[in-house]
Amino acid sequence: MTSHVPAALFDALDTGVALLDHQLKVKYANKRWQEWLGSDIPDNAPVSKLLGDDAAFHEIELRALLADGEPRSLAIVLHPAHADSLTWRLSTVAHRAPDGILLEATGSTDDAQAPMHDIARRLAEVSDMSEVLRTLCDVATRQCSGTGAAVLRVIASQGEVVAAAGDLAIARGRTFALEGSLLQEAVLGLDVIRESNYSESDRPLLKVVPELELGPMIVAPLRAHGETLGVIAVARGVGERAFRHAEIDRLRLLSDHAALAVHKSLLLMQAQSADRAKGRFLATMSHELRTPLTALAGYNELLADQVIGPLSEPQLDILERMRSVTIHLSAMIEEILAYTSLEEGREVVRPTEFLAADLVNAAIAVVQPLAEHKNLCITAILPSEHVRMTSDIDKSRQILVNLLGNAVKFTDKGTIAVRVSVHGGSALRVDIRDPGIGIADEELSRLFRPFAQVDTGLTRRHGGTGLGLYISRRLATLLKGHLEVQSQVNVGSTFTVVLPLTI
Ligand code: ADP
């Protein structure tokens, strides 16, 4: 750089300045230009590094300038180095200088909003709150050319650093007095505020985290739907230049988008916590119902065995109906309990060794009485040789019982075929085919969601919780296998479960 003009002076400019030698090598480019490029320019880099899209064309102009000395105007377009940075359009004037060429440029962006939409999309993609805030800190640091950023919020009469990146990372999780803080000022002032040298300020956060070595700082409130959720702060190191208007505008814009993303995450978190409350309620309620039901079943048996005294045929018939209702209720309660324990991650795999044929036959035995009651036949085709498995037999049986139970429930006549085979030498495959009512294509995708039932009208003929298939698939996944379905309305369904022979 020229010996009599300090580089710092050029770096303080809002315009871009660059000096080229006669070979069109870059001797100097000020900070502004490097910011537009999103990267540093090494000494003696070819000028094409500065010129963006039409570099070759601009170079011809610059050579012509060297020859005739006539100033040239160049329209330079610089595309962003990062997906969330801006596309800059530089109006550049090139003059002949004593040692080569001097370039002076003013930069503008086509649409300052455009990259913000990108950021908003990226923020919207992440639903976990801590991830939203971390992304936000990273984006803000980059967008405002800072060295660190943090999201802060007010809790009671205190401030808290809820997320932080870069130079501010050491303050994460710290709380501080609200009185006199930048947080309080930004929340009350509703607009971006600046601090020229944070480390020399007397702010409460600095008293709690004295290791923070920060120079200029800007802070913007995060407001969504009339509510202030917190603030976002971007800072630079001690002695670095102050934030420019363009950077402050960018933070303002970013904070608007970010506030909406944070608001959305908050709503999601509330919904998830309501979901967890619902799960807990279901679990408690099912537990409470299980005890009296067991007692009911016991008394029923006592009466049916005629230990208390002899009963007439009609009385025995009523008792039998009561028994089948009790069994049905118990099955539903067991299903809800299985669902809640899967949801809470309480299910553990207990592997034992067993024969695949025993597993399948035991499952068929459970549904056989129901099938006979409906005059349905169940056939099983098993491999000729013994297939040994090491897996959780109870969970495997539960899956098959659910699938067979559905096959019986949704079939009025015909035969339910169970085919067992070894798949790829390492997995057991069970196909359960029924000639029942079948499932329409559009229903297939939501079949495995909890509480999903195809026929949800008041007129629905079949009882059930809509949890069986969801639980079955979750159990199959827990056992490192999978569960699929193929079906055609009025033709029938085939459910296929594949489980590894050894878990
Ligand atoms: P539930 O049977 O308790 O309602 P499931 O999760 O086991 O819950 O099944 C969900 C829905 O999928 C059923 O209500 C039914 O509409 C449909 N379905 C499941 N299996 C079959 C089948 N074999 N044939 C036809 N429809 C079925």
Side-chain angles (χ1 to χ4, degrees), residues 335 402-403 406-411 434 436-439 447-449 452-455 460 462-471 487 492-493 495:
E335 213 155 69
N402 283 349
L403 299 180
N406 279 347
V408 171
K409 193 155 82 173
F410 297 104
T411 304
D434 70 61
I437 59 171
I439 304 153
L447 218 53
F448 293 95
R449 292 188 203 149
Q453 290 189 321
V454 173
D455 179 7
R460 82 191 167 106
H462 308 281
T465 54
L467 284 173
L469 288 180
Y470 173 74
I471 291 173
S487 190
S493 316
F495 283 83

PDB file of all heavy atoms in Angstrom, residues 335 402-403 406-411 434 436-439 447-449 452-455 460 462-471 487 492-493 495, ligand 1:
ATOM      1  N   GLU A 335     -52.840 -52.462  25.256  1.00  0.00           N
ATOM      2  CA  GLU A 335     -52.340 -51.783  24.061  1.00  0.00           C
ATOM      3  C   GLU A 335     -51.930 -50.335  24.389  1.00  0.00           C
ATOM      4  O   GLU A 335     -50.883 -49.861  23.966  1.00  0.00           O
ATOM      5  CB  GLU A 335     -53.426 -51.781  22.990  1.00  0.00           C
ATOM      6  CG  GLU A 335     -52.856 -51.879  21.600  1.00  0.00           C
ATOM      7  CD  GLU A 335     -53.845 -52.460  20.616  1.00  0.00           C
ATOM      8  OE1 GLU A 335     -54.838 -51.774  20.323  1.00  0.00           O
ATOM      9  OE2 GLU A 335     -53.616 -53.576  20.128  1.00  0.00           O
ATOM     10  N   ASN A 402     -51.026 -59.138  16.819  1.00  0.00           N
ATOM     11  CA  ASN A 402     -51.705 -57.940  16.321  1.00  0.00           C
ATOM     12  C   ASN A 402     -52.092 -58.101  14.853  1.00  0.00           C
ATOM     13  O   ASN A 402     -53.217 -57.791  14.461  1.00  0.00           O
ATOM     14  CB  ASN A 402     -50.785 -56.711  16.422  1.00  0.00           C
ATOM     15  CG  ASN A 402     -50.709 -56.183  17.845  1.00  0.00           C
ATOM     16  OD1 ASN A 402     -51.476 -56.594  18.700  1.00  0.00           O
ATOM     17  ND2 ASN A 402     -49.772 -55.282  18.095  1.00  0.00           N
ATOM     18  N   LEU A 403     -51.150 -58.587  14.045  1.00  0.00           N
ATOM     19  CA  LEU A 403     -51.406 -58.709  12.611  1.00  0.00           C
ATOM     20  C   LEU A 403     -52.470 -59.778  12.337  1.00  0.00           C
ATOM     21  O   LEU A 403     -53.377 -59.578  11.526  1.00  0.00           O
ATOM     22  CB  LEU A 403     -50.115 -59.040  11.851  1.00  0.00           C
ATOM     23  CG  LEU A 403     -49.000 -57.989  11.963  1.00  0.00           C
ATOM     24  CD1 LEU A 403     -47.780 -58.434  11.179  1.00  0.00           C
ATOM     25  CD2 LEU A 403     -49.475 -56.635  11.444  1.00  0.00           C
ATOM     26  N   ASN A 406     -55.931 -58.544  13.393  1.00  0.00           N
ATOM     27  CA  ASN A 406     -56.511 -57.662  12.380  1.00  0.00           C
ATOM     28  C   ASN A 406     -57.025 -58.463  11.190  1.00  0.00           C
ATOM     29  O   ASN A 406     -58.101 -58.185  10.665  1.00  0.00           O
ATOM     30  CB  ASN A 406     -55.467 -56.659  11.866  1.00  0.00           C
ATOM     31  CG  ASN A 406     -55.312 -55.482  12.818  1.00  0.00           C
ATOM     32  OD1 ASN A 406     -56.133 -55.292  13.709  1.00  0.00           O
ATOM     33  ND2 ASN A 406     -54.269 -54.704  12.633  1.00  0.00           N
ATOM     34  N   ALA A 407     -56.231 -59.463  10.770  1.00  0.00           N
ATOM     35  CA  ALA A 407     -56.634 -60.274   9.612  1.00  0.00           C
ATOM     36  C   ALA A 407     -57.996 -60.916   9.904  1.00  0.00           C
ATOM     37  O   ALA A 407     -58.891 -60.902   9.057  1.00  0.00           O
ATOM     38  CB  ALA A 407     -55.574 -61.321   9.317  1.00  0.00           C
ATOM     39  N   VAL A 408     -58.142 -61.421  11.133  1.00  0.00           N
ATOM     40  CA  VAL A 408     -59.414 -62.049  11.498  1.00  0.00           C
ATOM     41  C   VAL A 408     -60.521 -60.985  11.586  1.00  0.00           C
ATOM     42  O   VAL A 408     -61.623 -61.160  11.081  1.00  0.00           O
ATOM     43  CB  VAL A 408     -59.269 -62.805  12.846  1.00  0.00           C
ATOM     44  CG1 VAL A 408     -60.623 -63.268  13.357  1.00  0.00           C
ATOM     45  CG2 VAL A 408     -58.314 -63.971  12.690  1.00  0.00           C
ATOM     46  N   LYS A 409     -60.157 -59.847  12.194  1.00  0.00           N
ATOM     47  CA  LYS A 409     -61.161 -58.803  12.422  1.00  0.00           C
ATOM     48  C   LYS A 409     -61.721 -58.248  11.102  1.00  0.00           C
ATOM     49  O   LYS A 409     -62.903 -57.968  10.995  1.00  0.00           O
ATOM     50  CB  LYS A 409     -60.490 -57.669  13.230  1.00  0.00           C
ATOM     51  CG  LYS A 409     -61.465 -56.674  13.810  1.00  0.00           C
ATOM     52  CD  LYS A 409     -60.888 -55.981  15.041  1.00  0.00           C
ATOM     53  CE  LYS A 409     -59.970 -54.844  14.721  1.00  0.00           C
ATOM     54  NZ  LYS A 409     -59.548 -54.077  15.881  1.00  0.00           N
ATOM     55  N   PHE A 410     -60.850 -58.109  10.113  1.00  0.00           N
ATOM     56  CA  PHE A 410     -61.283 -57.445   8.876  1.00  0.00           C
ATOM     57  C   PHE A 410     -61.572 -58.422   7.732  1.00  0.00           C
ATOM     58  O   PHE A 410     -61.562 -58.048   6.573  1.00  0.00           O
ATOM     59  CB  PHE A 410     -60.241 -56.397   8.455  1.00  0.00           C
ATOM     60  CG  PHE A 410     -60.108 -55.297   9.476  1.00  0.00           C
ATOM     61  CD1 PHE A 410     -59.021 -55.251  10.338  1.00  0.00           C
ATOM     62  CD2 PHE A 410     -61.105 -54.333   9.609  1.00  0.00           C
ATOM     63  CE1 PHE A 410     -58.913 -54.255  11.305  1.00  0.00           C
ATOM     64  CE2 PHE A 410     -61.005 -53.343  10.573  1.00  0.00           C
ATOM     65  CZ  PHE A 410     -59.907 -53.298  11.426  1.00  0.00           C
ATOM     66  N   THR A 411     -61.786 -59.682   8.098  1.00  0.00           N
ATOM     67  CA  THR A 411     -62.136 -60.683   7.077  1.00  0.00           C
ATOM     68  C   THR A 411     -63.440 -61.360   7.475  1.00  0.00           C
ATOM     69  O   THR A 411     -63.614 -61.714   8.643  1.00  0.00           O
ATOM     70  CB  THR A 411     -61.012 -61.739   6.968  1.00  0.00           C
ATOM     71  OG1 THR A 411     -59.797 -61.061   6.700  1.00  0.00           O
ATOM     72  CG2 THR A 411     -61.297 -62.743   5.858  1.00  0.00           C
ATOM     73  N   ASP A 434     -54.686 -62.025   4.088  1.00  0.00           N
ATOM     74  CA  ASP A 434     -56.111 -62.275   4.347  1.00  0.00           C
ATOM     75  C   ASP A 434     -56.944 -61.858   3.136  1.00  0.00           C
ATOM     76  O   ASP A 434     -56.557 -60.955   2.401  1.00  0.00           O
ATOM     77  CB  ASP A 434     -56.548 -61.507   5.608  1.00  0.00           C
ATOM     78  CG  ASP A 434     -56.605 -60.003   5.408  1.00  0.00           C
ATOM     79  OD1 ASP A 434     -57.373 -59.524   4.559  1.00  0.00           O
ATOM     80  OD2 ASP A 434     -55.851 -59.286   6.110  1.00  0.00           O
ATOM     81  N   GLY A 436     -59.675 -60.230   3.118  1.00  0.00           N
ATOM     82  CA  GLY A 436     -60.658 -59.366   3.792  1.00  0.00           C
ATOM     83  C   GLY A 436     -61.019 -58.113   3.016  1.00  0.00           C
ATOM     84  O   GLY A 436     -60.884 -58.055   1.791  1.00  0.00           O
ATOM     85  N   ILE A 437     -61.442 -57.093   3.755  1.00  0.00           N
ATOM     86  CA  ILE A 437     -61.991 -55.875   3.126  1.00  0.00           C
ATOM     87  C   ILE A 437     -60.913 -55.051   2.412  1.00  0.00           C
ATOM     88  O   ILE A 437     -61.216 -54.244   1.556  1.00  0.00           O
ATOM     89  CB  ILE A 437     -62.719 -54.972   4.155  1.00  0.00           C
ATOM     90  CG1 ILE A 437     -61.759 -54.555   5.289  1.00  0.00           C
ATOM     91  CG2 ILE A 437     -63.939 -55.671   4.711  1.00  0.00           C
ATOM     92  CD1 ILE A 437     -62.354 -53.491   6.213  1.00  0.00           C
ATOM     93  N   GLY A 438     -59.642 -55.235   2.758  1.00  0.00           N
ATOM     94  CA  GLY A 438     -58.560 -54.503   2.104  1.00  0.00           C
ATOM     95  C   GLY A 438     -58.510 -53.049   2.554  1.00  0.00           C
ATOM     96  O   GLY A 438     -59.382 -52.561   3.293  1.00  0.00           O
ATOM     97  N   ILE A 439     -57.472 -52.343   2.105  1.00  0.00           N
ATOM     98  CA  ILE A 439     -57.249 -50.947   2.531  1.00  0.00           C
ATOM     99  C   ILE A 439     -56.968 -50.118   1.278  1.00  0.00           C
ATOM    100  O   ILE A 439     -56.145 -50.519   0.447  1.00  0.00           O
ATOM    101  CB  ILE A 439     -56.044 -50.864   3.504  1.00  0.00           C
ATOM    102  CG1 ILE A 439     -56.255 -51.803   4.699  1.00  0.00           C
ATOM    103  CG2 ILE A 439     -55.837 -49.430   3.989  1.00  0.00           C
ATOM    104  CD1 ILE A 439     -54.980 -52.283   5.324  1.00  0.00           C
ATOM    105  N   LEU A 447     -51.708 -45.568   8.007  1.00  0.00           N
ATOM    106  CA  LEU A 447     -52.083 -46.749   8.773  1.00  0.00           C
ATOM    107  C   LEU A 447     -51.220 -46.959  10.017  1.00  0.00           C
ATOM    108  O   LEU A 447     -51.693 -47.399  11.050  1.00  0.00           O
ATOM    109  CB  LEU A 447     -51.892 -47.962   7.852  1.00  0.00           C
ATOM    110  CG  LEU A 447     -52.889 -49.070   7.934  1.00  0.00           C
ATOM    111  CD1 LEU A 447     -54.293 -48.548   7.769  1.00  0.00           C
ATOM    112  CD2 LEU A 447     -52.588 -50.094   6.843  1.00  0.00           C
ATOM    113  N   PHE A 448     -49.950 -46.611   9.896  1.00  0.00           N
ATOM    114  CA  PHE A 448     -49.008 -46.920  10.983  1.00  0.00           C
ATOM    115  C   PHE A 448     -48.855 -45.747  11.952  1.00  0.00           C
ATOM    116  O   PHE A 448     -47.975 -45.752  12.789  1.00  0.00           O
ATOM    117  CB  PHE A 448     -47.649 -47.311  10.399  1.00  0.00           C
ATOM    118  CG  PHE A 448     -47.708 -48.617   9.660  1.00  0.00           C
ATOM    119  CD1 PHE A 448     -47.894 -48.652   8.285  1.00  0.00           C
ATOM    120  CD2 PHE A 448     -47.606 -49.820  10.343  1.00  0.00           C
ATOM    121  CE1 PHE A 448     -47.969 -49.857   7.597  1.00  0.00           C
ATOM    122  CE2 PHE A 448     -47.680 -51.031   9.671  1.00  0.00           C
ATOM    123  CZ  PHE A 448     -47.859 -51.056   8.294  1.00  0.00           C
ATOM    124  N   ARG A 449     -49.718 -44.738  11.797  1.00  0.00           N
ATOM    125  CA  ARG A 449     -49.665 -43.641  12.773  1.00  0.00           C
ATOM    126  C   ARG A 449     -50.513 -44.025  13.978  1.00  0.00           C
ATOM    127  O   ARG A 449     -51.505 -44.733  13.827  1.00  0.00           O
ATOM    128  CB  ARG A 449     -50.244 -42.362  12.154  1.00  0.00           C
ATOM    129  CG  ARG A 449     -49.364 -41.846  11.054  1.00  0.00           C
ATOM    130  CD  ARG A 449     -49.863 -40.492  10.615  1.00  0.00           C
ATOM    131  NE  ARG A 449     -49.411 -40.242   9.267  1.00  0.00           N
ATOM    132  CZ  ARG A 449     -50.068 -39.520   8.395  1.00  0.00           C
ATOM    133  NH1 ARG A 449     -51.226 -38.980   8.711  1.00  0.00           N
ATOM    134  NH2 ARG A 449     -49.591 -39.323   7.191  1.00  0.00           N
ATOM    135  N   ALA A 452     -54.646 -44.336  14.285  1.00  0.00           N
ATOM    136  CA  ALA A 452     -55.192 -44.268  12.921  1.00  0.00           C
ATOM    137  C   ALA A 452     -56.137 -45.436  12.686  1.00  0.00           C
ATOM    138  O   ALA A 452     -55.802 -46.579  12.936  1.00  0.00           O
ATOM    139  CB  ALA A 452     -54.049 -44.316  11.914  1.00  0.00           C
ATOM    140  N   GLN A 453     -57.336 -45.093  12.214  1.00  0.00           N
ATOM    141  CA  GLN A 453     -58.266 -46.134  11.794  1.00  0.00           C
ATOM    142  C   GLN A 453     -58.851 -45.705  10.469  1.00  0.00           C
ATOM    143  O   GLN A 453     -59.129 -44.525  10.258  1.00  0.00           O
ATOM    144  CB  GLN A 453     -59.377 -46.306  12.834  1.00  0.00           C
ATOM    145  CG  GLN A 453     -58.852 -46.924  14.123  1.00  0.00           C
ATOM    146  CD  GLN A 453     -59.958 -47.301  15.068  1.00  0.00           C
ATOM    147  OE1 GLN A 453     -60.928 -46.569  15.184  1.00  0.00           O
ATOM    148  NE2 GLN A 453     -59.801 -48.422  15.731  1.00  0.00           N
ATOM    149  N   VAL A 454     -59.023 -46.655   9.575  1.00  0.00           N
ATOM    150  CA  VAL A 454     -59.537 -46.312   8.254  1.00  0.00           C
ATOM    151  C   VAL A 454     -60.974 -45.829   8.371  1.00  0.00           C
ATOM    152  O   VAL A 454     -61.368 -44.803   7.832  1.00  0.00           O
ATOM    153  CB  VAL A 454     -59.435 -47.542   7.313  1.00  0.00           C
ATOM    154  CG1 VAL A 454     -60.120 -47.258   5.995  1.00  0.00           C
ATOM    155  CG2 VAL A 454     -57.973 -47.914   7.113  1.00  0.00           C
ATOM    156  N   ASP A 455     -61.751 -46.570   9.141  1.00  0.00           N
ATOM    157  CA  ASP A 455     -63.161 -46.258   9.257  1.00  0.00           C
ATOM    158  C   ASP A 455     -63.387 -45.527  10.575  1.00  0.00           C
ATOM    159  O   ASP A 455     -63.481 -46.146  11.628  1.00  0.00           O
ATOM    160  CB  ASP A 455     -63.923 -47.599   9.239  1.00  0.00           C
ATOM    161  CG  ASP A 455     -65.403 -47.395   9.374  1.00  0.00           C
ATOM    162  OD1 ASP A 455     -65.845 -46.238   9.340  1.00  0.00           O
ATOM    163  OD2 ASP A 455     -66.108 -48.404   9.517  1.00  0.00           O
ATOM    164  N   ARG A 460     -68.697 -46.931  12.566  1.00  0.00           N
ATOM    165  CA  ARG A 460     -67.648 -47.920  12.324  1.00  0.00           C
ATOM    166  C   ARG A 460     -67.994 -49.257  12.986  1.00  0.00           C
ATOM    167  O   ARG A 460     -68.478 -49.312  14.103  1.00  0.00           O
ATOM    168  CB  ARG A 460     -66.278 -47.361  12.739  1.00  0.00           C
ATOM    169  CG  ARG A 460     -65.937 -47.443  14.157  1.00  0.00           C
ATOM    170  CD  ARG A 460     -64.697 -46.595  14.393  1.00  0.00           C
ATOM    171  NE  ARG A 460     -64.535 -46.435  15.819  1.00  0.00           N
ATOM    172  CZ  ARG A 460     -63.610 -47.070  16.517  1.00  0.00           C
ATOM    173  NH1 ARG A 460     -62.767 -47.851  15.922  1.00  0.00           N
ATOM    174  NH2 ARG A 460     -63.531 -46.911  17.815  1.00  0.00           N
ATOM    175  N   HIS A 462     -65.922 -51.937  13.419  1.00  0.00           N
ATOM    176  CA  HIS A 462     -64.894 -52.669  14.177  1.00  0.00           C
ATOM    177  C   HIS A 462     -64.354 -51.814  15.312  1.00  0.00           C
ATOM    178  O   HIS A 462     -64.041 -50.648  15.091  1.00  0.00           O
ATOM    179  CB  HIS A 462     -63.749 -53.044  13.241  1.00  0.00           C
ATOM    180  CG  HIS A 462     -64.231 -53.744  12.010  1.00  0.00           C
ATOM    181  ND1 HIS A 462     -64.560 -55.071  12.008  1.00  0.00           N
ATOM    182  CD2 HIS A 462     -64.461 -53.282  10.763  1.00  0.00           C
ATOM    183  CE1 HIS A 462     -64.965 -55.400  10.790  1.00  0.00           C
ATOM    184  NE2 HIS A 462     -64.915 -54.332  10.021  1.00  0.00           N
ATOM    185  N   GLY A 463     -64.256 -52.420  16.477  1.00  0.00           N
ATOM    186  CA  GLY A 463     -63.709 -51.677  17.611  1.00  0.00           C
ATOM    187  C   GLY A 463     -62.203 -51.562  17.482  1.00  0.00           C
ATOM    188  O   GLY A 463     -61.631 -51.835  16.436  1.00  0.00           O
ATOM    189  N   GLY A 464     -61.543 -51.151  18.559  1.00  0.00           N
ATOM    190  CA  GLY A 464     -60.073 -51.080  18.528  1.00  0.00           C
ATOM    191  C   GLY A 464     -59.596 -49.683  18.833  1.00  0.00           C
ATOM    192  O   GLY A 464     -60.372 -48.720  18.815  1.00  0.00           O
ATOM    193  N   THR A 465     -58.312 -49.606  19.151  1.00  0.00           N
ATOM    194  CA  THR A 465     -57.729 -48.331  19.552  1.00  0.00           C
ATOM    195  C   THR A 465     -57.046 -47.611  18.398  1.00  0.00           C
ATOM    196  O   THR A 465     -56.757 -46.427  18.487  1.00  0.00           O
ATOM    197  CB  THR A 465     -56.644 -48.569  20.621  1.00  0.00           C
ATOM    198  OG1 THR A 465     -55.723 -49.524  20.080  1.00  0.00           O
ATOM    199  CG2 THR A 465     -57.229 -49.096  21.912  1.00  0.00           C
ATOM    200  N   GLY A 466     -56.763 -48.325  17.327  1.00  0.00           N
ATOM    201  CA  GLY A 466     -55.981 -47.717  16.240  1.00  0.00           C
ATOM    202  C   GLY A 466     -54.507 -47.663  16.607  1.00  0.00           C
ATOM    203  O   GLY A 466     -53.746 -46.892  16.020  1.00  0.00           O
ATOM    204  N   LEU A 467     -54.108 -48.481  17.587  1.00  0.00           N
ATOM    205  CA  LEU A 467     -52.701 -48.457  18.026  1.00  0.00           C
ATOM    206  C   LEU A 467     -51.929 -49.697  17.587  1.00  0.00           C
ATOM    207  O   LEU A 467     -50.709 -49.702  17.549  1.00  0.00           O
ATOM    208  CB  LEU A 467     -52.639 -48.375  19.558  1.00  0.00           C
ATOM    209  CG  LEU A 467     -52.941 -47.027  20.170  1.00  0.00           C
ATOM    210  CD1 LEU A 467     -53.009 -47.155  21.691  1.00  0.00           C
ATOM    211  CD2 LEU A 467     -51.880 -46.020  19.785  1.00  0.00           C
ATOM    212  N   GLY A 468     -52.677 -50.761  17.253  1.00  0.00           N
ATOM    213  CA  GLY A 468     -52.044 -52.060  16.995  1.00  0.00           C
ATOM    214  C   GLY A 468     -50.924 -52.005  15.964  1.00  0.00           C
ATOM    215  O   GLY A 468     -49.815 -52.487  16.219  1.00  0.00           O
ATOM    216  N   LEU A 469     -51.193 -51.406  14.806  1.00  0.00           N
ATOM    217  CA  LEU A 469     -50.183 -51.388  13.748  1.00  0.00           C
ATOM    218  C   LEU A 469     -49.014 -50.480  14.108  1.00  0.00           C
ATOM    219  O   LEU A 469     -47.864 -50.783  13.814  1.00  0.00           O
ATOM    220  CB  LEU A 469     -50.798 -50.935  12.420  1.00  0.00           C
ATOM    221  CG  LEU A 469     -51.714 -51.957  11.756  1.00  0.00           C
ATOM    222  CD1 LEU A 469     -52.272 -51.403  10.457  1.00  0.00           C
ATOM    223  CD2 LEU A 469     -50.948 -53.253  11.489  1.00  0.00           C
ATOM    224  N   TYR A 470     -49.346 -49.363  14.748  1.00  0.00           N
ATOM    225  CA  TYR A 470     -48.279 -48.439  15.170  1.00  0.00           C
ATOM    226  C   TYR A 470     -47.335 -49.168  16.131  1.00  0.00           C
ATOM    227  O   TYR A 470     -46.110 -49.146  15.969  1.00  0.00           O
ATOM    228  CB  TYR A 470     -48.907 -47.212  15.834  1.00  0.00           C
ATOM    229  CG  TYR A 470     -47.899 -46.285  16.459  1.00  0.00           C
ATOM    230  CD1 TYR A 470     -47.104 -45.467  15.668  1.00  0.00           C
ATOM    231  CD2 TYR A 470     -47.726 -46.246  17.853  1.00  0.00           C
ATOM    232  CE1 TYR A 470     -46.163 -44.633  16.241  1.00  0.00           C
ATOM    233  CE2 TYR A 470     -46.793 -45.413  18.421  1.00  0.00           C
ATOM    234  CZ  TYR A 470     -46.018 -44.604  17.617  1.00  0.00           C
ATOM    235  OH  TYR A 470     -45.080 -43.787  18.180  1.00  0.00           O
ATOM    236  N   ILE A 471     -47.927 -49.840  17.132  1.00  0.00           N
ATOM    237  CA  ILE A 471     -47.111 -50.571  18.114  1.00  0.00           C
ATOM    238  C   ILE A 471     -46.317 -51.683  17.417  1.00  0.00           C
ATOM    239  O   ILE A 471     -45.121 -51.858  17.669  1.00  0.00           O
ATOM    240  CB  ILE A 471     -48.009 -51.162  19.224  1.00  0.00           C
ATOM    241  CG1 ILE A 471     -48.578 -50.030  20.075  1.00  0.00           C
ATOM    242  CG2 ILE A 471     -47.252 -52.157  20.086  1.00  0.00           C
ATOM    243  CD1 ILE A 471     -49.595 -50.468  21.091  1.00  0.00           C
ATOM    244  N   SER A 487     -51.999 -54.000  -0.028  1.00  0.00           N
ATOM    245  CA  SER A 487     -53.421 -54.248   0.128  1.00  0.00           C
ATOM    246  C   SER A 487     -54.214 -53.723  -1.056  1.00  0.00           C
ATOM    247  O   SER A 487     -53.778 -52.804  -1.751  1.00  0.00           O
ATOM    248  CB  SER A 487     -53.908 -53.583   1.412  1.00  0.00           C
ATOM    249  OG  SER A 487     -55.210 -53.995   1.681  1.00  0.00           O
ATOM    250  N   GLY A 492     -58.063 -57.949  -0.384  1.00  0.00           N
ATOM    251  CA  GLY A 492     -57.405 -58.415   0.831  1.00  0.00           C
ATOM    252  C   GLY A 492     -56.085 -57.719   1.091  1.00  0.00           C
ATOM    253  O   GLY A 492     -55.681 -56.840   0.326  1.00  0.00           O
ATOM    254  N   SER A 493     -55.442 -58.120   2.183  1.00  0.00           N
ATOM    255  CA  SER A 493     -54.196 -57.463   2.589  1.00  0.00           C
ATOM    256  C   SER A 493     -53.147 -58.512   2.900  1.00  0.00           C
ATOM    257  O   SER A 493     -53.464 -59.614   3.354  1.00  0.00           O
ATOM    258  CB  SER A 493     -54.408 -56.642   3.856  1.00  0.00           C
ATOM    259  OG  SER A 493     -55.600 -55.903   3.775  1.00  0.00           O
ATOM    260  N   PHE A 495     -49.711 -58.471   5.233  1.00  0.00           N
ATOM    261  CA  PHE A 495     -48.760 -57.789   6.119  1.00  0.00           C
ATOM    262  C   PHE A 495     -47.515 -58.664   6.201  1.00  0.00           C
ATOM    263  O   PHE A 495     -47.618 -59.877   6.409  1.00  0.00           O
ATOM    264  CB  PHE A 495     -49.361 -57.580   7.504  1.00  0.00           C
ATOM    265  CG  PHE A 495     -50.355 -56.441   7.539  1.00  0.00           C
ATOM    266  CD1 PHE A 495     -51.674 -56.632   7.158  1.00  0.00           C
ATOM    267  CD2 PHE A 495     -49.961 -55.168   7.922  1.00  0.00           C
ATOM    268  CE1 PHE A 495     -52.580 -55.581   7.172  1.00  0.00           C
ATOM    269  CE2 PHE A 495     -50.860 -54.115   7.942  1.00  0.00           C
ATOM    270  CZ  PHE A 495     -52.171 -54.323   7.561  1.00  0.00           C
TER     271      PHE A 495
HETATM  272  P1  ADP B   1     -57.180 -51.172  15.507  1.00  0.00           P
HETATM  273  O1  ADP B   1     -57.320 -52.476  14.788  1.00  0.00           O
HETATM  274  O2  ADP B   1     -57.061 -51.305  16.979  1.00  0.00           O
HETATM  275  O3  ADP B   1     -58.166 -50.144  15.063  1.00  0.00           O
HETATM  276  P2  ADP B   1     -54.662 -51.064  14.126  1.00  0.00           P
HETATM  277  O4  ADP B   1     -53.538 -50.099  14.237  1.00  0.00           O
HETATM  278  O5  ADP B   1     -54.340 -52.501  14.356  1.00  0.00           O
HETATM  279  O6  ADP B   1     -55.765 -50.540  15.089  1.00  0.00           O
HETATM  280  O7  ADP B   1     -55.274 -50.913  12.691  1.00  0.00           O
HETATM  281  C1  ADP B   1     -55.544 -49.622  12.219  1.00  0.00           C
HETATM  282  C2  ADP B   1     -56.551 -49.683  11.100  1.00  0.00           C
HETATM  283  O8  ADP B   1     -55.975 -50.306   9.952  1.00  0.00           O
HETATM  284  C3  ADP B   1     -57.764 -50.517  11.400  1.00  0.00           C
HETATM  285  O9  ADP B   1     -58.726 -49.784  12.120  1.00  0.00           O
HETATM  286  C4  ADP B   1     -58.244 -50.890  10.010  1.00  0.00           C
HETATM  287  O10 ADP B   1     -58.990 -49.806   9.473  1.00  0.00           O
HETATM  288  C5  ADP B   1     -56.952 -51.027   9.217  1.00  0.00           C
HETATM  289  N1  ADP B   1     -56.486 -52.409   9.114  1.00  0.00           N
HETATM  290  C6  ADP B   1     -55.536 -53.020   9.849  1.00  0.00           C
HETATM  291  N2  ADP B   1     -55.347 -54.297   9.447  1.00  0.00           N
HETATM  292  C7  ADP B   1     -56.216 -54.517   8.441  1.00  0.00           C
HETATM  293  C8  ADP B   1     -56.521 -55.653   7.596  1.00  0.00           C
HETATM  294  N3  ADP B   1     -55.891 -56.838   7.732  1.00  0.00           N
HETATM  295  N4  ADP B   1     -57.473 -55.477   6.651  1.00  0.00           N
HETATM  296  C9  ADP B   1     -58.105 -54.309   6.504  1.00  0.00           C
HETATM  297  N5  ADP B   1     -57.874 -53.213   7.262  1.00  0.00           N
HETATM  298  C10 ADP B   1     -56.945 -53.311   8.214  1.00  0.00           C
END
